Amino acid sequence: MELRRYFDILWRRKWIVLLTLVVTMAAVVIGTNQVTPIYQASTTLRIAASAGGNLNYSEYVYAAQLMNTYVEIVTSGPVLNELGTKLSLKELPVITAVVIPNTELVMITVKLEPKNSGKSGEYSGGDIDLRKQGFVYRRRQNLTGGAW
């Protein structure tokens, strides 16, 4: 019997409930349209500096220099320009590359706001040929995104 009483109260106040729902949905739609979506892609690369398991000091120093060199290359102008060309961008995206301490890993992140893009939606095509920049392999760039 108690449950029926609650339903009766809700039925009598249905316009208040409905108005609250409509106002909330309108606020969500307006807020979502005001948010600028940011497209971001991240990847973690392993840079194997040595085929063996143990590194001596000179190999360790070389590996650190190699990883720092790759970080500089990935964030350099030629790579940014090629990425901008592949994506038909008016402005170049922001690329960050970070060496993860005490590992052979580098995390690369590309951020792009759609107002800078000549294309809309998702981009998942085109390779950036890093061999031109000194890399010995190809790295596929995928951009997906949404509102943050």
Side-chain angles (χ1 to χ4, degrees), residues 16-134:
I16 294 173
V17 172
L18 187 61
L19 181 64
T20 303
L21 178 68
V22 168
V23 168
T24 302
M25 291 300 293
V28 168
V29 167
I30 291 169
T32 301
N33 288 332
Q34 296 299 317
V35 174
T36 302
I38 297 174
Y39 295 91
Q40 177 175 323
S42 292
T43 189
T44 301
L45 301 176
R46 178 177 181 252
I47 300 173
S50 157
N54 295 329
L55 296 177
N56 62 33
Y57 180 73
S58 64
E59 289 173 330
Y60 177 76
V61 170
Y62 172 73
Q65 289 175 340
L66 182 66
M67 290 175 62
N68 288 327
T69 301
Y70 284 168
V71 165
E72 290 301 317
I73 290 170
V74 166
T75 58
S76 70
V79 171
L80 283 169
N81 289 334
E82 186 174 348
L83 182 61
T85 301
K86 295 269 185 187
L87 294 174
S88 303
L89 301 176
K90 296 175 185 170
E91 294 180 32
L92 297 176
V94 176
I95 296 179
T96 57
V98 178
V99 176
I100 300 173
N102 301 320
T103 68
E104 295 179 327
L105 303 176
V106 175
M107 179 179 287
I108 300 171
T109 304
V110 180
K111 283 188 180 181
L112 175 69
E113 292 186 30
K115 67 179 181 182
N116 298 336
S117 176
K119 300 177 182 178
S120 61
E122 180 175 319
Y123 174 78
S124 61
D127 288 330
I128 303 301
D129 190 352
L130 298 176
R131 286 180 290 181
K132 294 177 189 174
Q133 316 305 326

